[in-house]
Amino acid sequence: MQRSQFLRLNAAQPDSLKQILPKPLIISSPMGGWNGFYFAYHCQTDYKAPETCASQHVIGIGTESFQARLKINEKWQDKLYTANDVTIFPAQQISPAVEFEQELGFIVLCLEPVFVQRAAYELIDTDKIEILQQLQTHDPLIQQIGLALKRELEISVIDSRLYAESAANMLAVHLLKRYSARPFLIREDTSGLPKHILKEVIAYINDNLDKNLSLAEMSIVVRMSPHYFATLFKQSMGIAPHQYVIKCRVERAKHLLINRELSIIQVSQLVGFQSQSHFTKVFRKYIGVTPQVFKNTH
């Protein structure tokens, strides 16, 4: 195949990956993704893909060890990947053709270049960001992030926005620290959020619990990058923003279940859950009983 024949991919377009995937996606982020981050999980057998070029930074994670053939500099090379190995293909760079024979699940994480810039914009010179291609690198943290996102989305895609954005911001900063052409020393402030800013964001969270809150929105409220905001928030509160939001939703749900004649589905919607089954699982995890049992006993 001539290099002029590579396929262009764009994770922002739902049908783009269908060009190279014989079998459909098993799990994926909602249409449009989460503010520039996209997740996909698929399983293929006897897989072959041509050279590709994506609009986003693309990270591939195999769910187990596997043998693959990659076409590098017009020559096929065999590579053995372990469970902690990942591939990183920067945006607008050509990825090699690939083949493998066994059945294999793949997690694919895609980050818009602007997402990476936004993750830590006040900490680095974003005009000089260049992510380096990695055909094979051993990175347990990236694998852990990918598997954690897969588990979260298997429970509920529609209620996973805040968790997904939090994980994606961690991933973006990790890319800048470890895989950028120019090493970035990202400042880690340990002082926490100023009291007036913490009060402002807590008020915003409580006023918007019924909405599908995002890390990007909260960081805009306090005029910080998502990464810097999340880091300082955790230092101030002892838990990450997405964990704090869940805690607030559960506490609000307890109040509504006790004091109002509302159905379980109405309560779940009033505290920001779009899936009643996910609300029930989260509530039981934190309180020890289902919302219905709690309602009947209080």
Side-chain angles (χ1 to χ4, degrees):
M1 175 179 291
Q2 299 297 317
R3 293 186 70 82
S4 60
Q5 294 179 284
F6 64 81
L7 285 178
R8 287 200 171 274
L9 302 176
N10 187 347
Q13 299 172 353
D15 293 336
S16 183
L17 287 177
K18 291 182 179 180
Q19 300 178 86
I20 58 171
L21 298 182
K23 296 182 180 179
L25 297 176
I26 298 172
I27 310 171
S28 63
S29 50
M31 187 176 298
W34 293 287
N35 290 318
F37 170 65
Y38 313 90
F39 174 97
Y41 173 69
H42 62 96
C43 188
Q44 306 295 331
T45 306
D46 296 331
Y47 180 68
K48 296 180 181 180
E51 291 180 324
T52 57
C53 181
S55 300
Q56 297 79 22
H57 302 304
V58 178
I59 298 173
I61 308 168
T63 56
E64 58 191 82
S65 298
F66 66 98
Q67 182 91 23
R69 299 183 70 228
L70 281 73
K71 193 174 184 181
I72 304 169
N73 297 326
E74 300 303 316
K75 295 182 179 180
W76 287 98
Q77 298 181 20
D78 291 326
K79 284 186 175 291
L80 176 63
Y81 289 84
T82 68
N84 285 332
D85 286 342
V86 302
T87 57
I88 301 173
F89 301 112
Q92 307 302 338
Q93 290 190 25
I94 296 176
S95 306
V98 62
E99 297 179 354
F100 60 81
E101 296 180 354
Q102 69 268 47
E103 183 175 3
L104 182 64
F106 263 103
I107 295 168
V108 181
L109 309 174
C110 301
L111 296 163
E112 295 282 2
V114 69
F115 185 102
V116 177
Q117 294 172 1
R118 190 172 60 227
Y121 66 78
E122 79 273 75
L123 304 178
I124 60 175
D125 184 351
T126 56
D127 292 333
K128 298 180 180 179
I129 292 175
E130 180 187 354
I131 303 300
L132 300 176
Q133 186 178 89
Q134 306 291 322
L135 296 180
Q136 181 180 28
T137 185
H138 189 72
D139 198 316
L141 177 59
I142 290 181
Q143 192 220 25
Q144 180 183 356
I145 291 173
L147 291 175
L149 280 165
K150 178 177 176 288
R151 288 192 295 268
E152 181 71 15
L153 270 63
E154 284 172 340
I155 298 173
S156 174
V157 171
I158 58 176
D159 283 324
S160 297
R161 179 184 183 184
L162 185 53
Y163 182 92
E165 286 188 12
S166 300
N169 272 279
M170 183 189 305
L171 177 62
V173 172
H174 182 64
L175 290 179
L176 291 172
K177 287 181 176 179
R178 184 167 175 180
Y179 300 108
S180 58
R182 176 190 176 197
F184 290 109
L185 296 177
I186 297 179
R187 177 169 56 94
E188 299 291 351
D189 198 321
T190 59
S191 59
L193 288 169
K195 290 184 179 179
H196 70 283
I197 293 181
L198 182 62
K199 183 178 179 180
E200 182 181 5
V201 74
I202 286 176
Y204 177 82
I205 290 171
N206 283 287
D207 289 343
N208 293 277
L209 280 180
D210 60 328
K211 299 180 175 63
N212 194 7
L213 286 167
S214 77
L215 188 65
E217 291 165 352
M218 286 187 279
S219 65
I220 290 172
V221 168
V222 297
R223 299 163 291 281
M224 296 179 179
S225 74
H227 168 71
Y228 198 47
F229 162 67
T231 299
L232 297 187
F233 185 94
K234 186 172 183 179
Q235 289 166 356
S236 294
M237 301 299 293
I239 55 177
H242 71 273
Q243 294 171 319
Y244 181 79
V245 170
I246 291 175
K247 180 180 177 181
C248 289
R249 284 177 169 158
V250 170
E251 289 301 314
R252 177 76 60 83
K254 286 169 59 180
H255 176 77
L256 293 173
L257 289 168
I258 293 172
N259 296 293
R260 295 190 186 182
E261 292 299 321
L262 298 170
S263 67
I264 302 300
I265 191 168
Q266 287 174 318
V267 171
S268 69
Q269 292 171 345
L270 286 171
V271 297
F273 286 92
Q274 300 178 59
S275 163
Q276 183 183 342
S277 62
H278 189 216
F279 167 60
T280 297
K281 289 178 181 178
V282 171
F283 191 92
R284 182 167 52 195
K285 177 181 176 180
Y286 278 79
I287 306 303
V289 296
T290 66
Q292 189 64 60
V293 171
F294 183 89
K295 182 179 176 69
N296 293 341
T297 56
H298 288 78

